[in-house]
């Protein structure tokens, strides 16, 4: 992991853990991406029902299962 071009940490705690427990100069290679999502960008109301139906058919998704 520390030999990678870039590292994604899921929290500041994980970033701190990496910096404290692993040697090397890689602090500029770590990006923290918090959990969650931007509802303005990933807004389900912006997706048309036709698009959902078309993709469900294309991907052979079961109709009785909730897909996120």
């Amino acid at each position: 992991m520390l030999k990678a071009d870039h590292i994604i940490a899921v929290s500041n705690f994980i970033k701190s853990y990496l910096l404290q427990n692993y040697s090397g100069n890689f602090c500029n290679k770590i990006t923290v991406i918090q959990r969650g999502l931007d509802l303005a960008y990933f807004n389900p109301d912006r997706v048309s029902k036709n698009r959902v139906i078309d993709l469900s058919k294309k991907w052979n998704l079961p109709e009785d299962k909730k897909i996120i």
Side-chain angles (χ1 to χ4, degrees), residues 1-2 4 7 9 12 16 23 27-28 30 33-37 40 47-48 51 59 61-62 64 66:
M1 172 180 70
L2 300 179
I7 302 165
N12 288 317
S16 297
S23 62
C27 66
N28 59 343
I30 301 175
I33 299 178
Q34 303 288 343
R35 65 180 177 216
L37 60 112
V47 181
S48 72
R51 182 173 182 209
W59 295 342
L61 298 177
D64 60 338
K66 192 167 200 140

Side-chain angles (χ1 to χ4, degrees), residues 10-21:
V10 296
S11 68
N12 288 317
F13 176 82
I14 298 298
K15 179 180 179 177
S16 297
Y17 179 86
L18 292 172
L19 294 172
Q20 291 173 6
N21 292 284

Side-chain angles (χ1 to χ4, degrees), residues 4-6 9 11-12 17 20 23-24 29 31 35 38-39 43-44 46 53 55 61-62 64-65 68:
D5 293 334
H6 203 81
S11 68
N12 288 317
Y17 179 86
Q20 291 173 6
S23 62
K29 292 175 30 174
T31 298
R35 65 180 177 216
D38 180 354
L39 288 176
N43 185 341
R46 294 177 60 191
I53 292 168
L55 285 175
L61 298 177
D64 60 338
K65 303 287 182 189
I68 298 174

